[in-house]
Amino acid sequence: MRVPLLLLVLLWGGGALLREPAWPEDEQASEIVRYPYRLEASTVIGEPVWHQPRPKESLLDLARDHGLGYNELELLYPRLDPWILPDKRLAVPTFWVLPPTEHEQLVINVPELRLYFFESTKGTVQTYPLGIGVEGWETPLGTFRITEKRPNPSWYIPASLQEEYGMTVMPPGPENPLGEYFMKFSAGSYGIHGTHMPWGVGRLVSHGCIRCYPEHIRLLFPQVAIGTRLEVLYEPVKFGRKEDQIFTEIHPDVYDKISDFEAYAMDRLRQQGLMDQVDIERFEIAVRLRNGVPTNITRVGPPGELVQRPSSSFRSSASASSRDPSGLSGEAFTLQAASLRSRENARRLVEILQGKGYPSRLEVADIGDGGEWYRVLVGSFHSREEAEAFADRFLRREQLEGMVVQKEP
């Protein structure tokens, strides 16, 4: 947590003179992480990790500690209380599909609220989460250049906001929303900067500028030269490759620019020339979830061959339970691979997992007035330790976060 805000402006001899800003101590530290990449061949970077929540740790703390924006965990855990985390390991999605890039320098992808800093001569890339413009003050799109860099920046407040803030220029300091560093780019007064409110990273919070965690702008600022190209994209549907596997990473349409998202996603798939290389049903599930997590959509069979599905289908939860095609009876623990509102999506996921050889089944969870949720369960284990070891392998192989649960007697 940050210490209370400090006063900046001291009155000396009748004149208002600024001294060096007294920034509050920030307990967060960070270091540069460079991920190797090769365009067209290796464009999925990072690895998911497990995290055991600490006492009093919030979802915002967890996100910041792992270099994520709040949105990246909120999308993955939409029903989790952000202030009261469960006493169990959580999967943390510290891996990403690279966005398309023309210049391989700075790239911001607005729908995922994330920046990528490519160092093409080294074949490495850095990535950092962002806060972006709210609706009505959208972050501008296009290709720009970094034109100015300022440490300890003053904020020249837009005329439309001067009455709200009671000033025309806000001096440097802990109340200044620009934070400690500002990198202006060739789109008017917009820039990439720090923030006095770290919990706004991963949210739509600004008047169009791009906000970084304080510890991240400290890393970026000395590395980015004036003249660096900046591509600001709007691409909620990304595709990448890793070890001959095809991944997609799909985000919400944060500015409501796309009238038919499912059609848009399918068009993007066609444009990539991947129709005969991916499992279409799994891709459709990723499109509906839009949880921002890289998902392996590689077709199981050879190109042009339909994926083989089990002959049995889950016509009802009762028949599925009585047949128990997963072989989950008589064991204490199982892995919940997903909990979905849509029965059809859950059924399709079960079939996909069975097609890959996983013992899986569908279970209906009645949540009273909220209706029904459909749980996809995988495997059967004697102990929690055995189940968690499987969950770890399952996450790394399938890029699906699972939760170990104890089966009801």
Side-chain angles (χ1 to χ4, degrees), residues 91-361:
V92 182
T94 47
F95 64 130
W96 306 271
V97 172
L98 294 180
T101 175
E102 196 174 321
H103 302 293
E104 290 182 69
Q105 295 186 16
L106 276 176
V107 178
I108 290 171
N109 190 22
V110 168
E112 63 176 309
L113 284 73
R114 183 160 280 274
L115 175 149
Y116 296 85
F117 179 37
F118 290 86
E119 299 172 287
S120 57
T121 57
K122 299 177 181 177
T124 61
V125 61
Q126 303 168 40
T127 183
Y128 302 99
L130 305 171
I132 62 170
V134 298
E135 194 171 349
W137 293 86
E138 290 88 351
T139 295
L141 307 179
T143 300
F144 311 100
R145 286 186 183 270
I146 300 298
T147 58
E148 183 184 346
K149 294 172 64 180
R150 299 199 310 267
N152 301 321
S154 295
W155 180 32
Y156 295 87
I157 302 173
S160 59
L161 299 174
Q162 289 175 8
E163 183 177 351
E164 177 184 342
Y165 285 92
M167 63 181 81
T168 58
V169 180
M170 182 177 291
E175 293 185 358
N176 189 319
L178 302 186
E180 300 171 65
Y181 298 98
F182 181 83
M183 298 189 294
K184 184 177 180 295
F185 57 90
S186 53
S189 60
Y190 294 104
I192 303 168
H193 58 81
T195 180
H196 69 318
M197 188 181 69
W199 310 134
V201 173
R203 300 175 188 267
L204 279 62
V205 291
S206 76
H207 293 98
C209 280
I210 292 106
R211 298 185 180 185
C212 300
Y213 284 128
E215 59 272 20
H216 290 164
I217 195 66
R218 292 173 197 145
L219 299 178
L220 269 176
F221 188 81
Q223 297 184 78
V224 177
I226 290 178
T228 299
R229 284 190 176 93
L230 167 65
E231 300 169 75
V232 185
L233 313 175
Y234 196 92
E235 185 48 80
V237 181
K238 300 188 296 178
F239 299 94
R241 290 183 180 270
K242 182 177 183 179
E243 299 175 355
D244 297 323
Q245 301 290 296
I246 301 171
F247 289 77
T248 190
E249 179 183 322
I250 303 180
H251 292 264
D253 176 18
V254 294
Y255 285 158
D256 293 326
K257 287 179 172 289
I258 301 167
S259 58
D260 187 334
F261 195 93
E262 285 75 14
Y264 172 86
M266 197 59 69
D267 284 344
R268 290 285 293 119
L269 184 64
R270 292 191 189 95
Q271 292 164 13
Q272 296 292 312
L274 297 174
M275 291 293 289
D276 65 343
Q277 300 177 53
V278 305
D279 185 322
I280 296 298
E281 289 189 353
R282 187 161 192 175
F283 176 67
E284 289 174 347
I285 290 172
V287 170
R288 290 185 174 94
L289 289 177
R290 299 176 209 175
N291 63 9
V293 176
T295 302
N296 191 334
I297 56 172
T298 309
R299 183 182 290 273
V300 176
E305 179 180 305
L306 291 176
V307 177
Q308 295 299 311
R309 301 293 181 196
S311 57
S312 61
S313 61
F314 294 92
R315 294 182 178 83
S316 70
S317 59
S319 62
S321 178
S322 62
R323 288 196 307 268
D324 195 15
S326 63
L328 295 180
S329 59
E331 304 293 341
F333 296 93
T334 186
L335 181 72
Q336 179 177 299
S339 181
L340 305 173
R341 273 283 195 183
S342 166
R343 177 188 179 86
E344 182 62 19
N345 286 347
R347 184 191 64 77
R348 287 181 178 179
L349 181 55
V350 166
E351 291 185 349
I352 289 169
L353 292 173
Q354 287 186 340
K356 286 176 169 283
Y358 293 105
S360 313
R361 71 175 174 123

